[in-house]
């Protein structure tokens, strides 16, 4: 079973995504509201994948992704953003995200991205 940490500063979206993932057999081991809290939770919980919002207070998605890559290299990141801004997507890719999806993506696409990220060897 894939273990996931869901990170988004929008509580409604974060909880809905966590519930949808759980309904599809993905173990949501935690949630966080910003990049700094995501890093702390990832160190404590050791998820396989972090679904990370890009624009957040107190450490952006790219900053948190880079931090995780340097300190927890086995944890994969899937970026999730409301913005179809190529520069933001590129920033997440450069930081080490396995993929980036727009928040309008279907739950099937999100689950596929999580599964794909989890299957990447260390």
């Amino acid at each position: 079973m894939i273990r996931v940490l869901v990170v988004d500063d929008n509580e409604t979206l974060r909880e809905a995504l966590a519930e949808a993932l759980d309904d599809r057999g993905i173990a949501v081991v935690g949630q966080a509201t910003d990049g700094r809290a995501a890093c702390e939770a990832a160190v404590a919980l050791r998820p396989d994948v972090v679904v990370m919002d890009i624009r957040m207070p107190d450490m952006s998605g790219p900053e948190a992704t880079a931090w995780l890559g340097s300190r927890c290299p086995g944890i994969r990141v899937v970026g999730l953003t409301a913005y179809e801004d190529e520069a933001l997507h590129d920033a997440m890719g450069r930081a080490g995200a396995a993929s980036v999806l727009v928040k309008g993506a279907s739950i099937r696409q999100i689950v596929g991205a999580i599964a794909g990220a989890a299957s990447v060897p260390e």
Side-chain angles (χ1 to χ4, degrees), residues 6-7 16 20-21 31 41 49 51 56 60 70 76-77 80 85 92 98 100 115 117:
V6 177
V7 183
L21 293 173
Q31 298 181 31
V49 178
V51 177
M56 296 179 292
S60 70
S70 68
R76 305 293 180 226
V77 175
L80 194 59
D85 180 335
M92 281 299 281
V100 178

Side-chain angles (χ1 to χ4, degrees), residues 7-31:
V7 183
D8 200 298
D9 57 331
N10 180 314
E11 180 180 6
T12 303
L13 182 114
R14 186 181 66 247
E15 290 181 357
L17 178 57
E19 185 176 328
L21 293 173
D22 190 55
D23 288 347
R24 283 156 181 84
I26 293 178
V28 177
V29 296
Q31 298 181 31

Side-chain angles (χ1 to χ4, degrees), residues 41-103:
V43 167
L45 300 170
R46 292 295 187 187
D48 301 307
V49 178
V50 176
V51 177
M52 179 93 67
D53 188 13
I54 293 179
R55 285 192 173 170
M56 296 179 292
D58 199 23
M59 190 184 274
S60 70
E63 291 170 320
T65 299
W67 189 94
L68 286 171
S70 68
R71 290 168 181 83
C72 305
I75 297 174
R76 305 293 180 226
V77 175
V78 171
L80 194 59
T81 182
Y83 305 96
E84 293 195 35
D85 180 335
E86 196 170 317
L88 288 175
H89 294 222
D90 289 346
M92 281 299 281
R94 284 191 308 277
S99 62
V100 178
L101 299 171
V102 176
K103 287 183 179 175

